[in-house]
Amino acid sequence: MALLDLHFAPQLAEIEARLAKGADPAEAFRGLDDDLFALISGKDYAGHDAVKAALPDYPDNHWISNCTGNHTLHDAVQEASLFWRLAKEAYAAHGRRGPLATATVADYGAGWGRITRFCPKDAGRVVAIEPNETFHEIWRQTRVPGELVASDFLSKKKLPVSDIDLLICFSILTHASDALAKNIAKRWAEIVAPGGVVLFTVRPGTYLDLDGGEIDRLSPADKAAARSAYEAGRIAYWPYPECPSDWGVTVMPMAYLEQLFGRHFEIIGPRYFLQNHTQLPIVMVRRQGGWFGS
Ligand SMILES: C[S@@+](CC[C@H](N)C(=O)[O-])C[C@H]1O[C@@H](n2cnc3c(N)ncnc32)[C@H](O)[C@@H]1O
């Protein structure tokens, strides 16, 4: 017998009963804990066809590893689940905008919807912002729930969304140039509601001392330049030669984040993310007051 049937039959029966009554997937899975949701969403068990049909599919392994620094499906889903749990915790601790069940969540740089797919069971409305058309297509094919909003790679264009209560952003500022980061900061100031919470990741400063992974693409001289920029409180950025000039290896010190976001956001501080020591989540809250330009 499968683990699900052996130990979680009541939860499955409840989801199946809700689906039979015509509940949409967000309602059918409402409030389900993240680990169980992750297990169910893997669809690696017999039967329960209605449950499987209500859940999005996963894309090919190529896209899973391409977008997550070579993670397996299991690691990619585990990381997504733990990041979403951290986001909910940050919202509960710092949000001033009412319960998450009625809140609007935005996943900024959603990729193929790895993290986004966890949000609808807990949030009121879910918006996924993503510039890459290939991911838009994967999104449609795999039936990820939520509203997909096409953005531009430089984050220059205003977005047709506003009043976001919780914005999550995993592994975008880990790649952004100074110009792109400044555009992103403008977009967030426009779309996040006063009192709204933002949880985004940067590379920790220790990333520059690591061996292995993409930091090895920097020459010793590049690394030394990155370290002195970081130590001086500036962005350390090395553009990927194969990419447009605003995307590469990025490490942002806290002093830089203060300059980038401090006018519109109160930076609460970093959280340690045991799951992945190359990602440092930062929590901040949108300050009161309107948007006054750049
Ligand atoms: C490393 S992937 C992370 C995807 C997703 N957040 C996740 O953790 O699975 C980086 C994503 O950022 C997107 N991206 C690139 N430039 C962006 C921009 N200016 N604004 C928002 N997303 C961007 C890419 O298309 C890609 O989907």
Side-chain angles (χ1 to χ4, degrees):
M1 197 184 250
L3 179 74
L4 267 181
D5 293 309
L6 191 57
H7 292 292
F8 301 102
Q11 287 94 329
L12 270 175
E14 166 130 25
I15 294 164
E16 278 163 346
R18 289 183 194 165
L19 288 170
K21 282 189 199 147
D24 68 24
E27 286 314 312
F29 296 102
R30 176 72 44 196
L32 190 66
D33 80 69
D34 296 301
D35 291 58
L36 194 51
F37 181 79
L39 177 65
I40 292 175
S41 69
K43 305 187 187 179
D44 189 17
Y45 45 88
H48 305 292
D49 293 344
V51 173
K52 288 175 181 165
L55 288 161
D57 300 316
Y58 282 105
D60 293 343
N61 282 337
H62 163 73
W63 293 114
I64 290 166
S65 70
N66 171 288
C67 215
T68 57
N70 298 325
H71 281 357
T72 60
L73 173 63
H74 179 274
D75 287 352
V77 173
Q78 181 167 292
E79 183 173 89
S81 148
L82 291 175
F83 188 68
W84 176 235
R85 197 180 298 183
L86 194 58
K88 288 191 285 189
E89 208 183 295
Y91 188 75
H94 303 289
R96 298 163 205 152
R97 301 270 306 167
L100 185 59
T102 56
T104 301
V105 174
D107 187 358
Y108 198 92
W112 48 264
R114 177 172 72 118
I115 303 167
T116 327
R117 62 188 63 208
F118 281 84
C119 310
K121 67 181 175 58
D122 300 309
R125 179 182 169 212
V126 177
V127 178
I129 298 161
E130 171 59 48
N132 189 326
E133 286 180 6
T134 304
F135 289 133
H136 298 173
E137 189 50 38
I138 293 174
W139 186 278
R140 285 182 205 103
Q141 281 169 6
T142 56
R143 301 174 296 111
V144 181
E147 298 159 45
L148 187 56
V149 173
S151 58
D152 62 303
F153 278 103
L154 291 178
S155 290
K156 269 188 169 170
K157 296 185 187 152
K158 291 201 179 202
L159 294 160
V161 290
S162 58
D163 227 26
I164 301 298
D165 300 302
L166 171 62
L167 185 146
I168 58 173
C169 179
F170 193 96
S171 198
I172 280 82
L173 290 179
T174 50
H175 297 288
S177 70
D178 180 53
L180 175 53
K182 284 177 174 147
N183 289 345
I184 288 174
K186 278 187 199 166
R187 300 292 82 81
W188 291 1
E190 288 161 0
I191 68 175
V192 177
V197 172
V198 177
L199 181 72
F200 65 100
T201 63
V202 292
R203 297 294 190 200
T206 46
Y207 190 74
L208 293 168
D209 301 324
L210 289 182
D211 284 321
E214 66 172 18
I215 193 68
D216 285 351
R217 296 178 67 179
L218 278 69
S219 69
D222 291 332
K223 269 196 191 180
R227 275 200 200 97
S228 58
Y230 186 88
E231 278 157 22
R234 300 194 309 272
I235 184 172
Y237 174 67
W238 179 87
Y240 292 135
E242 71 278 16
C243 276
S245 59
D246 287 284
W247 199 249
V249 176
T250 305
V251 190
M252 297 174 174
M254 293 304 292
Y256 175 83
L257 293 177
E258 273 297 343
Q259 271 198 341
L260 186 66
F261 292 117
R263 183 165 170 215
H264 297 288
F265 294 90
E266 177 197 356
I267 299 184
I268 307 291
R271 291 288 308 256
Y272 181 61
F273 193 47
L274 180 62
Q275 170 70 17
N276 184 341
H277 66 284
T278 71
Q279 300 276 348
L280 183 72
I282 308 285
V283 180
M284 62 188 191
V285 176
R286 176 79 166 87
R287 294 186 194 282
Q288 299 297 324
W291 167 246
F292 305 111
S294 53

